[in-house]
Amino acid sequence: MVMERTYIMIKPDGVQRGLTGEIIKRFEQKGYKLVAMKLTKPSKEHMEKHYADLANKKFFPGLIEYMTSGPVCAMVWEGKNAVLEGRKMLGATMPSDSAMGTIRGDFCIEVGRNICHGSDAVESANHEIGMWFPEGVCEWTRCDEKSLYE
Ligand code: UDP
Ligand code: MG
């Protein structure tokens, strides 16, 4: 079975609002495996590199200011279809479009304070994991894997 890894980040507003545990809980309970995690206050340069594809957007300066305003919780989650499923768990970019039951649908109001990031494709996930965890991730086996997968 092909296992994917996705880069999930709790943004400064999510950390400040005490939502770190709730978001980790959802990924754990879904069955995904946490293979890397750290709390870190990103530099402006690092954040600009992470969001490089949005550099020409009007909201970019505000986005960088917001993302560097405090610590983020950077994580890598692993499992079957983790990239697409992770995006589903986060909900739509615009909280007003996010379904109830998703993280953004349940916990936030505005797009500029939407509490979490998730990779949008396997290729961008690999790029983001390399950027945020150059030291690599932790390989291990969840003891319930036989109950999670056929
Ligand atoms: N963003 C914003 N205003 C917008 C669109 C996006 O402030 O009109 C912010 C928002 O925090 C979003 C981030 O920029 O999560 C990255 O945008 P992207 O389109 O990649 O959305 P995502 O992948 O996070 O759903
Ligand atoms: Mg994106």
Side-chain angles (χ1 to χ4, degrees), residues 1-17:
M1 190 189 317
V2 182
M3 289 295 176
E4 286 178 2
R5 286 176 179 164
T6 189
Y7 176 66
I8 301 291
M9 170 166 58
I10 305 171
K11 297 178 176 183
D13 50 335
V15 173
Q16 292 288 351
R17 292 181 54 208

Side-chain angles (χ1 to χ4, degrees), residues 30-107:
K30 174 78 177 170
Y32 289 129
K33 180 165 70 180
L34 182 63
V35 295
M37 176 164 74
K38 67 182 159 204
L39 194 71
T40 176
K41 195 162 182 290
S43 69
K44 189 167 178 280
E45 293 67 33
H46 192 76
M47 224 48 254
E48 285 173 346
K49 193 175 156 201
H50 173 88
Y51 279 130
D53 57 328
L54 301 174
N56 59 355
K57 301 281 185 194
K58 205 164 62 151
F59 60 80
F60 187 73
L63 174 63
I64 300 303
E65 193 181 350
Y66 151 54
M67 289 300 302
T68 54
S69 66
V72 300
C73 183
M75 299 176 281
V76 180
W77 289 89
E78 182 183 291
K80 188 178 178 187
N81 296 329
V83 173
L84 186 64
E85 292 295 321
R87 292 282 290 191
K88 281 194 213 161
M89 290 168 68
L90 261 49
T93 304
M94 300 284 171
S96 53
D97 296 336
S98 306
M100 292 300 146
T102 66
I103 293 164
R104 287 166 172 169
D106 287 351
F107 299 119

Side-chain angles (χ1 to χ4, degrees), residues 94-124:
M94 300 284 171
S96 53
D97 296 336
S98 306
M100 292 300 146
T102 66
I103 293 164
R104 287 166 172 169
D106 287 351
F107 299 119
C108 61
I109 299 167
E110 287 204 315
V111 66
R113 298 289 183 272
N114 64 359
I115 63 174
C116 49
H117 165 83
S119 308
D120 60 9
V122 172
E123 196 181 51
S124 46

